[in-house]
Amino acid sequence: MTVYVTGDVHGGADMQKLRDWDLGESLTSDDYLIIAGDFGLPWDFSAEECADIAWLESRPYTVLFVDGNHERFDHWAERPMELWHGGLTQRLSDTSPIRRLTRGEVFELDGSTVFTMGGATSVDKEYRIPYSSWWPQELPDERNFEEARTKLDGVGWKVDYVVTHEAPAALARELCRERGREYRGDPLQTFLGELDGRLGYRVWFFGHYHRDKWCDTRHRLIYRDIVPIEDAAPGSRNLLKAL
């Protein structure tokens, strides 16, 4: 079993990276690809979208994702929860192998523990239509945060990896500055900043900012790259051993 991570796919808009992923054809259903938010499927159930979903479901590997801000949350509100690898998930449909890794859960994959927290604020929500192209559920609430704290209490506030869509507050502020975007702060960024100062982990993967770079030795912004989850920044091996 191998676990890989990539960034946003926005429905079919950024799926070409998966079509070009030669290694993907050599994997099996016991290998996992985690998408770090803005999975974006389903959205409008068009013929093209249904073909994209069918293609993803036919992959030899298993697709997993944390939610981003661009998701059809009314669809996911109707999907049942299933316990899977130690955490709660939702399948895209009753027969689909594609799973949403829900907020504030800890999963056991390939001998490692992975904490997940989806959600983010849509900076373009003023141009979107509520409950049609934008949902207020894009942001977790305090109940989600408290459930996450309780889950992390159960593992002693130590996991191997973190996968989110949004970045912790300090990094979010810096990334907004780099992109010339106003940083306003929101409860999720603040909560993730709390976790970053308290949680023991090896590497934190996140999407949302549409770049590929190591922000430091433990925070990996990911978009088009597809990397093994155990991937680590140059020079950080000693740090990982120390944790």
Side-chain angles (χ1 to χ4, degrees), residues 173-222:
R173 183 181 296 108
E174 177 63 19
L175 289 164
C176 285
R177 184 194 64 79
E178 290 178 4
R179 299 189 66 184
R181 179 192 300 172
E182 180 184 1
Y183 172 75
R184 299 178 182 179
D186 62 41
L188 175 59
Q189 292 165 336
T190 300
F191 173 72
L192 295 179
E194 171 197 332
L195 295 193
D196 202 22
R198 185 178 176 188
L199 181 62
Y201 63 90
R202 295 182 178 184
V203 180
W204 185 318
F205 295 88
F206 64 97
H208 193 44
Y209 294 91
H210 298 182
R211 292 181 61 187
D212 288 282
K213 75 169 196 171
W214 283 98
C215 299
D216 53 42
T217 57
R218 294 206 296 168
H219 295 90
R220 177 70 146 89
L221 169 56
I222 195 160

Side-chain angles (χ1 to χ4, degrees), residues 153-170:
D153 283 342
V155 294
W157 285 81
K158 290 183 180 180
V159 295
D160 293 301
Y161 304 102
V162 178
V163 181
T164 63
H165 187 54
E166 180 58 276

Side-chain angles (χ1 to χ4, degrees), residues 74-115:
D74 55 357
H75 171 82
W76 294 104
E78 297 176 355
R79 297 300 304 146
M81 294 286 185
E82 299 180 13
L83 187 63
W84 181 84
H85 283 253
L88 292 174
T89 67
Q90 294 171 293
R91 287 191 290 167
L92 191 148
S93 69
D94 290 345
T95 59
S96 178
I98 297 172
R99 292 180 182 269
R100 175 192 178 193
L101 306 179
T102 61
R103 297 170 175 179
E105 293 291 322
V106 177
F107 296 92
E108 298 175 3
L109 299 173
D110 194 24
S112 297
T113 49
V114 182
F115 173 78

